[in-house]
């Protein structure tokens, strides 16, 4: 009788674990499919914010307008990518590798410095995905300032799926 009871408990435990694993796999696949929609090359075509403030996004030391025309690449097989600021005028020339994640409408990324691994960098940026279609999307960032929050919206358009560059 004890062996039968033990077999029943073990069987129930294995069933519960397998169901949990299946649900985790489905959740992971849903997250991956969200990120796959962003696969490819994108360009920021405009940035909307209250122009009375001077915004310097993502700790680059560059004005927000330097990001208009910037090139962003998202590679979903390893959740990596990069962004490139074209430079010119008072804008710096920057090529920045990043690690990206997306869960639902929450988009996060962190900058990766040369010679470091992504897991060594715990700081990053969190933005909300809004108005997403196949060829365009927007990221909304709430930037804290003097006890308030300034809303910054980055509008992206797809430029391609070329990974040879």
């Amino acid at each position: 009788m004890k062996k039968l009871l033990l077999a029943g408990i073990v069987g129930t435990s294995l069933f519960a674990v397998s169901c949990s694993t299946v649900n985790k796999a489905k959740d992971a696949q849903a997250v991956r499919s969200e990120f796959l929609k962003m696969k490819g090359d994108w360009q920021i075509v405009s940035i909307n914010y209250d122009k009375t403030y001077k915004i310097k996004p993502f700790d680059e030391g560059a004005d927000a307008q330097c990001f208009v025309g910037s090139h962003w690449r998202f590679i979903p097989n390893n959740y990596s990518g990069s962004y490139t600021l074209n430079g010119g005028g008072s804008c710096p020339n920057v090529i920045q590798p990043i690690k990206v994640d997306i869960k639902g409408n929450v988009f996060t990324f962190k900058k990766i410095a040369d010679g470091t691994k992504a897991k060594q960098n715990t700081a990053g940026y969190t933005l909300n995905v809004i108005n997403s279609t196949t060829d365009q999307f927007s990221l909304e960032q709430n930037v804290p300032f003097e006890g308030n929050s300034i809303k910054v919206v980055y509008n992206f358009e797809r430029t391609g799926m070329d990974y040879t560059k």
Side-chain angles (χ1 to χ4, degrees):
M1 184 67 163
K2 288 181 183 178
K3 289 182 181 179
L4 184 59
L5 180 61
L6 182 60
I9 291 172
V10 170
T12 303
S13 297
L14 289 174
F15 178 74
V17 169
S18 69
C19 289
S20 174
T21 303
V22 168
N23 287 338
K24 286 180 184 177
K26 285 181 183 177
D27 291 345
Q29 193 61 27
V31 167
R32 182 161 172 73
S33 72
E34 285 298 312
F35 190 53
L36 282 171
K37 293 176 187 175
M38 296 179 138
K39 175 183 177 178
D41 297 320
W42 298 83
Q43 182 176 35
I44 295 181
V45 294
S46 66
I47 302 175
N48 304 329
Y49 63 98
D50 182 346
K51 303 290 193 269
T52 59
Y53 297 100
K54 186 156 183 90
I55 304 290
K56 293 187 176 186
F58 314 125
D59 298 318
E60 287 298 344
D63 184 80
Q65 293 309 308
C66 293
F67 281 82
V68 174
S70 63
H71 174 256
W72 293 64
R73 172 171 287 165
F74 303 121
I75 305 169
N77 68 334
N78 62 1
Y79 293 91
S80 69
S82 64
Y83 64 80
T84 304
L85 302 183
N86 300 322
S90 62
C91 297
N93 187 13
V94 174
I95 299 174
Q96 179 60 61
I98 57 177
K99 275 295 191 182
V100 182
D101 197 11
I102 184 167
K103 290 187 175 114
N105 68 339
V106 177
F107 178 94
T108 58
F109 78 92
K110 57 186 175 179
K111 299 184 333 182
I112 307 302
D114 283 339
T116 62
K117 295 186 180 217
K119 64 183 175 185
Q120 294 171 320
N121 180 3
T122 58
Y125 307 91
T126 301
L127 301 95
N128 294 315
V129 179
I130 57 175
N131 306 324
S132 179
T133 68
T134 304
D135 293 322
Q136 55 189 328
F137 70 94
S138 298
L139 293 177
E140 180 181 77
Q141 181 182 30
N142 292 309
V143 180
F145 181 76
E146 294 180 355
N148 293 318
S149 184
I150 302 167
K151 188 182 292 189
V152 182
V153 178
Y154 306 90
N155 301 302
F156 289 77
E157 285 187 2
R158 183 181 299 278
T159 59
M161 298 285 280
D162 182 13
Y163 292 114
T164 59
K165 296 178 187 176

